[in-house]
Amino acid sequence: MTSAGFNVTSSLTLVGFSSLSGHSSLLFFVFLLLYLFVLFSDSLVIYIICSQRALHRPMFTFVASFLLNSLTASTLIYPKIMSDLLLSGAGLVQVSRTLCLCQGFFVSSLGGASFMLLSAMAFDRYLSICYPMQYAVLVTPAKVVLMLLLCWMLPAILGGVTTLLVSRLPLCRAQLNRVYCDIYSLVSLSCGGAEAQLSGLYILLFTAIIVFLPAAFMLFSYARILFICLWRSRSFSSKALQTCLPHLLVFFNYSISVYLDMMLRRLQSNRESDSTVITSILILVPTVLNPVVYGLKLKEVFTHVKRLLSCRRDS
């Protein structure tokens, strides 16, 4: 078949903000303020964990890594959206297919790494609470490094293969009803056929390995912790559940965001304003809530945050 049967254009159009183009300036300042908040709060918690020797423990190492992952994802998404809001007069944003694929790769790999890191935190809490006597032997610094590498490398490898498969698909459409690029939406623009079906199956496999399996493991770990707490003293149970609560809040935050995003795709709504509002919420809520949860709900971190901010105010 000749290329005339396909749209092999090298550029795509993001139309997610087209229905809200009259409010682009307001949206720009909202995203700017929230991005500055995420940048400051994530960096603050990471700095405190790195600078305080008392926090050099596996749980806080995972928390700092998770916030660093969230900060990286925010830096790859927020500035691009803000520049699009400023430069797109009618809410239509032209983006090259290569840049769209790159952004889709980072969104999928960093999003998958978030779930992997949350599962690593659940595993750490499970061993700490259920096997306290063997914890120091089971969770060594070397094993923590290996788990972190797995959490980042596995989604990156699977995401890279997925992106490579999608990059080979011919496109029959060039308009994405999104405010940023993602791999699944690029597949929806393809002309179908065996290659598109293979890419869709691989995306389902990627989602199962990187999202659903870690989510199931987290639920199992926290269920086991809850079962152990039912048979222990009230003080032990209270302390154990307090350390698990921030991780559970962030986990449900991410899970609800993924669920809403999947529902949005399944509905395949053509109402751009609804799509834009929901997509914006899916971007904003997880990144803003993460540092708030870990900065306020983890007592050890909150103590140092309060001390640091009070010292700066006094000076």
Side-chain angles (χ1 to χ4, degrees), residues 2 5 15 44 47 64 84 96 137 142 199 231 252-253 273-274 297:
T2 63
V15 299
L44 177 63
Y47 167 76
D84 292 343
S96 70
V137 177
S199 299
W231 296 95
F252 285 120
N253 174 33
S273 60
D274 292 345
K297 299 303 294 182

Side-chain angles (χ1 to χ4, degrees), residues 10-291:
S10 60
S11 64
L12 301 171
T13 304
L14 301 178
V15 299
F17 281 129
S18 60
S19 61
L20 301 176
S21 58
H23 307 284
S24 58
S25 298
L26 176 62
L27 288 173
F28 170 81
F29 284 109
V30 170
F31 275 97
L32 177 60
L33 290 175
L34 290 174
Y35 176 60
L36 291 176
F37 171 79
V38 170
L39 185 64
F40 170 76
S41 54
D42 277 345
S43 301
L44 177 63
V45 176
I46 293 171
Y47 167 76
I48 287 174
I49 292 175
C50 293
S51 62
Q52 300 297 322
R53 186 174 295 273
L55 301 181
H56 291 180
R57 288 182 279 164
M59 183 183 76
F60 297 106
T61 301
F62 288 124
V63 169
S65 301
F66 177 80
L67 292 179
L68 178 62
N69 187 80
S70 177
L71 180 59
T72 304
S74 300
T75 302
L76 290 170
I77 294 178
Y78 276 84
K80 179 64 170 63
I81 291 178
M82 289 188 289
S83 66
D84 292 343
L85 286 169
L86 285 180
L87 300 177
S88 60
L92 302 178
V93 179
Q94 294 293 327
V95 59
S96 70
R97 186 176 180 180
T98 301
L99 181 59
C100 202
L101 284 166
C102 289
Q103 189 177 49
F105 163 75
F106 284 113
V107 167
S108 61
S109 59
L110 291 173
S114 296
F115 274 92
M116 295 287 288
L117 288 166
L118 285 171
S119 67
M121 293 184 208
F123 182 60
D124 172 75
R125 292 298 84 206
Y126 170 72
L127 292 179
S128 175
I129 295 170
C130 299
Y131 302 96
M133 303 301 295
Q134 296 88 10
Y135 177 75
V137 177
L138 295 172
V139 186
T140 63
K143 291 178 181 178
V144 170
V145 172
L146 287 176
M147 282 193 286
L148 289 176
L149 289 176
L150 177 65
C151 290
W152 276 313
M153 294 302 296
L154 182 59
I157 293 172
L158 294 178
V161 174
T162 306
T163 304
L164 182 62
L165 289 174
V166 173
S167 68
R168 300 167 60 88
L169 296 177
L171 302 182
C172 285
R173 291 179 294 155
Q175 284 196 346
L176 276 174
N177 190 18
R178 306 280 287 180
V179 297
Y180 64 91
C181 295
D182 63 274
I183 298 299
Y184 186 88
S185 296
L186 286 172
V187 174
S188 69
L189 300 181
S190 69
C191 303
E195 290 186 350
Q197 290 179 353
L198 177 62
S199 299
L201 288 174
Y202 198 86
I203 290 174
L204 288 177
L205 178 64
F206 174 87
T207 305
I209 295 175
I210 302 302
V211 176
F212 293 125
L213 285 181
F217 178 76
M218 280 183 273
L219 292 175
F220 167 78
S221 299
Y222 290 124
R224 286 287 299 166
I225 290 172
L226 180 61
F227 178 77
I228 292 294
C229 289
L230 291 176
W231 296 95
R232 299 293 184 91
S233 64
R234 183 183 297 271
S235 60
F236 175 88
S237 301
S238 176
K239 183 178 179 181
L241 294 177
Q242 281 180 0
T243 62
C244 295
L245 180 60
H247 309 310
L248 281 170
L249 290 175
V250 174
F251 164 66
F252 285 120
N253 174 33
Y254 267 88
S255 298
I256 292 172
S257 297
V258 170
Y259 174 78
L260 289 176
D261 191 47
M262 295 176 73
M263 289 299 101
L264 178 66
R265 296 177 192 281
R266 285 188 62 85
L267 291 174
Q268 295 181 339
S269 172
N270 292 322
R271 299 173 62 184
E272 295 175 0
S273 60
D274 292 345
S275 174
T276 300
V277 170
I278 297 176
T279 304
S280 301
I281 292 173
L282 297 181
I283 296 171
L284 297 175
V285 174
T287 55
V288 172
L289 192 61
N290 293 338

